[in-house]
Amino acid sequence: MSTILTLPDQSTATLPKVSYLSKEYGLKSWLLTGDHKRIAMLYLISITFFFFIGGAMAGLIRLELLTPPSDLLAADTYNKVFTAHGIIMVFLFLVPSVPATIGNFVIPIMVGAKDLAFPKINLLSWYLYVAAGCMVIAALVSGGVDTGWTFTTPLSTHYLNTHVITAGLAVFIAGFSSIFTGLNFIVTIHRMRAPGMTWFRLPLFVWSHYAASILMVLGTPVLAITLVLVVLERTIGIGVFDPTKGGDPLLFQHLFWFYSHPAVYIMILPGMGVISEVISTFSRKRVFGYTAVAFSSVAIAVFGFFVWAHHMFIMGISNYSALVFSLLTMLVAVPSAIKIFNWSATLYKGSITFETPMLYAFGFIGLFTIGGLTGVFLGSMGMDIHLTETYFIVAHFHFVMVGGMLMAYLSGVHFWWPKMTGRMYPEGISKLAAVITFVGFILTFFPQFLLGYLGMPRRYAAYPPEFQVLNVFSSAGASVLGVGYLLPLLYLTWSLKYGKIAGPNPWQATGLEWQIQSPPLTENFVETPIVTHEAYDYEWLESKKDHEVPTVG
Amino acid sequence: MDSHTIAAQTAEAGHIEHEHPPFLRHHFATVEQQRETATFGMWLFLLTEIMFFGGLFCAYLIYRNWYYPAFVDGSHSLHIWAGTLNTTILIVSSFTMAMGVHASETRMRKALVGWCIATIILGCGFLCVKAYEWHDEWVEHHVPGLNFSPEGFMRVNPAYPADAPLQRDMAEKTQVYFSLYFAMTGMHALHMIIGVSLLALLTIRAWGGAYTSGHVAPVENFGLYWHFVDIVWIFLFPLLYLISRHQ
Amino acid sequence: MHFISPVLWQFLIKWLTFFAIFPPEASTIAPYADALYFFLVLISVVGLVAVAILVITFSIRYRKDRNPVATQIEGSTLLEATWTIIPLILFMICFVWGALLYFRIYSPPTNAMNVYVVGKQWMWKVEHPGGQHEINSLHIPINRPIQITLISQDVFHSFSIPAFRVKREAIPGRYNTEWFEATTPGTYHLFCTQYCGTLHSQMIGEVVAMTEEDYEAWAASSTSGNSLAQNGERLFASLGCNSCHNSGPNAHGPNLANVYGSHLQLKDGSFVTVDDAFLRDTILNPTMHEIAGFAPIMPTYQGQVSEEGLIDLVEYIRRLDSQYRIDQTIDNSAGQPIQTGAAPPGTSSPTLAPGTVKQ
């Protein structure tokens, strides 16, 4: 099978002597860095660490669910395990994954800047993330928390004696990490574009991060204040959510979901940005309908703020309010559909190769389509009555988040790995890992749709015996999936020392990041680029092939 | 389409001469870009703060709608002189802060330090009045959860004899009012404390001349933050203190 | 099958016997829900197949070996419009259909038989008006609309009957209702689907749908002797409600006979329909519901009466009409509960106004 991969002659190629990695050595140079690329690498390491902890929790869940009774874990332990899985995966993995690792690394280069607008705030963001992660670990180690990641009141405020406050504050701090990242991106994209880099010459990756950043900046503070109120109610006993004191627990639901719904778009939009880049590069074509894809990102961000009560259809909100939210939910589904079709159309008359990032991107398109369509099931309010709070919901969000977002993250990590490290990952085993992940994923989560329609509730440690067969399929799939995720950890680490030298543009991609050395210099560009070409301009790339990319050292 | 172009640096004969002020960070091309970027960032941050307080205002809206008589009585039990004094203090402090920004722009070091110190003193004054008020609520058993008692609201308030004493179930609802009172003024006070601390740091640096040689952005942007905290109070004051006071 | 290990065979048989892939359709609403489900599955399959065909055929036809040079295409407004409008239309169909189903599920018919359910950690307490009390089970007759009035005593729970395709949240502090009409006798799962703490997965039970005769027999044998309304009447007296709420000329409070389902004017001039939620909230927060023409002197009973007690009081007031006392004195045979429409033998049919419950 042919490939677009173009590596320099391995017998003579070396990593550039001067790069952001070799500029300074020592722990202090990393822990006090302002360089967005180093911060991205710091995030990469910490996010991977928390991902595997969250993944271990998932493993425990699937092991327990092999059998109907609650025999592996006590009920309380199971509750703590799924809470940890949710909190870690949502707040410590999915929200920061693409923006904080790939976005931090690549966005300043993509816009032609030397760094993000506020490097110190970027570093602060990382420290807040690590602090939040440590607090979550502390909560786990000292006994765990069992509220579910949704912290539903009055359970979390009055009926649990676990470490709710620690976990709540951890999420609060993680929220500020997210807000500062989003703030940095918005200001950078507005103010630090190189001369000639107009809005519509920006890569779609930048557009999707801009949209996600708007959500981060406007939505996360509402979660922050909600958690503050929960902590106050738990410590002092204010009764804002307590019906015996005149409060309303549904108010918590509204405030919580006001953030947590846009949160899912915070999680998926950056992944969609990755897919735009990857599909374009491996079809050698401009993304079909650039403007439509760009505006659909912003549309998702805007509409995403107005649909939160579709998580509350059965809670006793008025029928008419439910009607409005269902309608808006249907509207927010449309831009995602537009993107899927645009990506598919990008393949038309392209020149397609199937390197690992592209395999993950194909996986994304298939699995996100299924996940997104099942979202329509749930937005259809009468159907939601039967499906909500069951495994259908679990399957739905795992399809979009794991089949969608996590695949996009892996696609992006593989795609930009040569840029970030200067080395290529091993293509054979990475393709194998992609396929294993895809197969394992479907085996794990597709049966859960059936379980959901049967009525199996979520967050159950024990279940009726007729649900066992499907659960066994699901757990079997989970073990395959685990292998699929462990492999990249191993071979990517291996590639740091033994991977082939990548050179500046192994994928022959457009985009400013591919016109500089790999790994880049600390200041990214030797001189500020002046942009005269459109995004995804492969003709410009052809004409440019003759010029050497300036390398220092 | 405007692309906010910035002057391109041309590398002439190798590395450019360092003819820029020492406070210009290297990832910015010009001082102007740095200043505009910082201001944009601060406005965006203030937008997040609006959303942060927004959750509390939303809760307030709903509960005031539901429990209006309780909110009236709760509001009437606050000391309006304290609230008015605090409002005056904050407005004056915004003036002193604005004067500080002006001093920074006109490169008057001692004036800048003076205005900053005045702002700090006023900020601390606000916090003292607030502490007194909170202590008073504690004494009157108005602290929700900790020592709340609705008894006081079931008797006539001597300051407002026209207020009918509340029935027990509505009197219990004043706890919701005070929950919001403490949450909102507490959050605001927290922002004041952070502001005063940051301002102290800025003042120390200002004494060393850091902000009177062209590097105005930190003072300007802190001024924005301070004005924002002031505006939040301008909203809190009528919502908490002035419910149905026209008697 | 002697070449398959007996152990494995045992597992296979067990699994296949227990293996379920589709829930039973046991209520009148289930076919409607399933119809919408199949439509959604259909358009999802069509959508997925369309995307899959596009991606797979383009990948094969335009792979690098076969198409070494890509053709740069900007876009096509016509295509954008097409694949915006067609999904939008399909999603709008889903919206309308879902909305119709939702209103159908959450709008109880006026002749529904009422059952009260109180959820608490970690059990469901089910109370029939005739005085039958159940824990974690619900016996109902088929072919009769049943309305569940649902509340929680502590945290959020969710009352879910997958076979009927209905589910509703049980929230502390307010009533929620759901209704269904069972069609097939049988035993069906009852789940709590909102995470509620340690024994959330044990908060399960069964819904037993029975023929009318079986249900009558069950009701007769399971009653505790007093209907909920009778409990409520006793509570009404012991809490001293009748000192103000009586039919005397100088009564301090409104007469409650026939008040259920009627329109009352509040002090601020607006009108309200008296239903379960209104009654419960007035008992707990009387100041929020001051009635025109009466002094606001009703004390609150918050903390003095449990959720079950409130249900008893609501049931009592619901049944209260000028006939009530007469019916009570005459009807003391066989502990038959007073049912809507089913007049106990020897009495004239009571003019009950069950009313609809507004949400």
Short mmCIF file of all heavy atoms in Angstrom, two decimals, chain A residues 287-304:
data_model
loop_
_atom_site.label_atom_id
_atom_site.label_comp_id
_atom_site.label_asym_id
_atom_site.label_seq_id
_atom_site.Cartn_x
_atom_site.Cartn_y
_atom_site.Cartn_z
N VAL A 287 -9.97 20.77 2.74
CA VAL A 287 -11.21 20.25 3.31
C VAL A 287 -12.38 20.81 2.50
O VAL A 287 -12.45 22.01 2.23
CB VAL A 287 -11.35 20.65 4.79
CG1 VAL A 287 -12.72 20.26 5.33
CG2 VAL A 287 -10.26 19.99 5.62
N PHE A 288 -13.29 19.93 2.13
CA PHE A 288 -14.45 20.34 1.36
C PHE A 288 -15.32 21.27 2.20
O PHE A 288 -15.65 20.95 3.33
CB PHE A 288 -15.25 19.08 0.98
CG PHE A 288 -16.37 19.32 0.01
CD1 PHE A 288 -16.18 19.14 -1.34
CD2 PHE A 288 -17.62 19.72 0.47
CE1 PHE A 288 -17.21 19.36 -2.25
CE2 PHE A 288 -18.66 19.95 -0.43
CZ PHE A 288 -18.44 19.76 -1.78
N GLY A 289 -15.66 22.42 1.65
CA GLY A 289 -16.56 23.31 2.38
C GLY A 289 -15.91 23.90 3.62
O GLY A 289 -16.49 23.85 4.71
N TYR A 290 -14.74 24.49 3.44
CA TYR A 290 -14.00 25.06 4.58
C TYR A 290 -14.88 25.97 5.40
O TYR A 290 -14.94 25.88 6.63
CB TYR A 290 -12.80 25.83 4.04
CG TYR A 290 -12.03 26.63 5.04
CD1 TYR A 290 -10.85 26.14 5.59
CD2 TYR A 290 -12.47 27.88 5.45
CE1 TYR A 290 -10.14 26.88 6.51
CE2 TYR A 290 -11.77 28.63 6.38
CZ TYR A 290 -10.60 28.12 6.89
OH TYR A 290 -9.90 28.86 7.81
N THR A 291 -15.59 26.88 4.74
CA THR A 291 -16.39 27.86 5.47
C THR A 291 -17.49 27.18 6.26
O THR A 291 -17.76 27.54 7.41
CB THR A 291 -17.01 28.87 4.48
OG1 THR A 291 -16.11 29.10 3.44
CG2 THR A 291 -17.36 30.16 5.18
N ALA A 292 -18.10 26.17 5.63
CA ALA A 292 -19.18 25.47 6.35
C ALA A 292 -18.65 24.80 7.59
O ALA A 292 -19.27 24.84 8.65
CB ALA A 292 -19.83 24.44 5.42
N VAL A 293 -17.48 24.15 7.47
CA VAL A 293 -16.93 23.46 8.64
C VAL A 293 -16.55 24.47 9.71
O VAL A 293 -16.82 24.27 10.90
CB VAL A 293 -15.71 22.61 8.24
CG1 VAL A 293 -15.10 21.96 9.46
CG2 VAL A 293 -16.13 21.54 7.25
N ALA A 294 -15.96 25.59 9.30
CA ALA A 294 -15.57 26.61 10.29
C ALA A 294 -16.78 27.15 11.03
O ALA A 294 -16.81 27.21 12.26
CB ALA A 294 -14.82 27.74 9.59
N PHE A 295 -17.81 27.52 10.27
CA PHE A 295 -18.99 28.09 10.91
C PHE A 295 -19.76 27.06 11.70
O PHE A 295 -20.40 27.38 12.70
CB PHE A 295 -19.90 28.75 9.87
CG PHE A 295 -19.42 30.11 9.45
CD1 PHE A 295 -19.47 30.51 8.13
CD2 PHE A 295 -18.91 31.00 10.38
CE1 PHE A 295 -19.02 31.77 7.75
CE2 PHE A 295 -18.45 32.26 10.00
CZ PHE A 295 -18.51 32.64 8.69
N SER A 296 -19.72 25.80 11.26
CA SER A 296 -20.44 24.79 12.03
C SER A 296 -19.80 24.61 13.40
O SER A 296 -20.49 24.34 14.38
CB SER A 296 -20.53 23.47 11.28
OG SER A 296 -19.25 22.91 11.16
N SER A 297 -18.48 24.79 13.51
CA SER A 297 -17.86 24.72 14.83
C SER A 297 -18.43 25.80 15.73
O SER A 297 -18.79 25.54 16.88
CB SER A 297 -16.35 24.92 14.73
OG SER A 297 -15.75 23.93 13.95
N VAL A 298 -18.50 27.01 15.21
CA VAL A 298 -19.02 28.10 16.02
C VAL A 298 -20.50 27.88 16.32
O VAL A 298 -20.97 28.15 17.43
CB VAL A 298 -18.81 29.45 15.30
CG1 VAL A 298 -19.37 30.59 16.12
CG2 VAL A 298 -17.33 29.68 15.06
N ALA A 299 -21.24 27.34 15.34
CA ALA A 299 -22.66 27.08 15.57
C ALA A 299 -22.85 26.06 16.69
O ALA A 299 -23.74 26.22 17.54
CB ALA A 299 -23.31 26.56 14.29
N ILE A 300 -22.02 25.02 16.69
CA ILE A 300 -22.12 24.04 17.78
C ILE A 300 -21.87 24.73 19.12
O ILE A 300 -22.58 24.49 20.10
CB ILE A 300 -21.11 22.90 17.56
CG1 ILE A 300 -21.53 22.05 16.37
CG2 ILE A 300 -21.01 22.03 18.80
CD1 ILE A 300 -20.54 20.97 16.02
N ALA A 301 -20.88 25.62 19.15
CA ALA A 301 -20.58 26.31 20.41
C ALA A 301 -21.77 27.15 20.87
O ALA A 301 -22.16 27.12 22.03
CB ALA A 301 -19.34 27.18 20.25
N VAL A 302 -22.36 27.89 19.95
CA VAL A 302 -23.47 28.77 20.34
C VAL A 302 -24.69 27.96 20.74
O VAL A 302 -25.25 28.13 21.82
CB VAL A 302 -23.80 29.72 19.18
CG1 VAL A 302 -25.08 30.48 19.46
CG2 VAL A 302 -22.65 30.70 18.96
N PHE A 303 -25.11 27.04 19.86
CA PHE A 303 -26.30 26.25 20.18
C PHE A 303 -26.09 25.40 21.42
O PHE A 303 -27.03 25.10 22.14
CB PHE A 303 -26.65 25.32 19.00
CG PHE A 303 -27.44 25.99 17.91
CD1 PHE A 303 -26.85 26.31 16.71
CD2 PHE A 303 -28.77 26.29 18.11
CE1 PHE A 303 -27.58 26.92 15.70
CE2 PHE A 303 -29.51 26.91 17.12
CZ PHE A 303 -28.91 27.22 15.91
N GLY A 304 -24.84 24.98 21.62
CA GLY A 304 -24.56 24.10 22.75
C GLY A 304 -24.93 24.68 24.09
O GLY A 304 -25.12 23.95 25.05
#
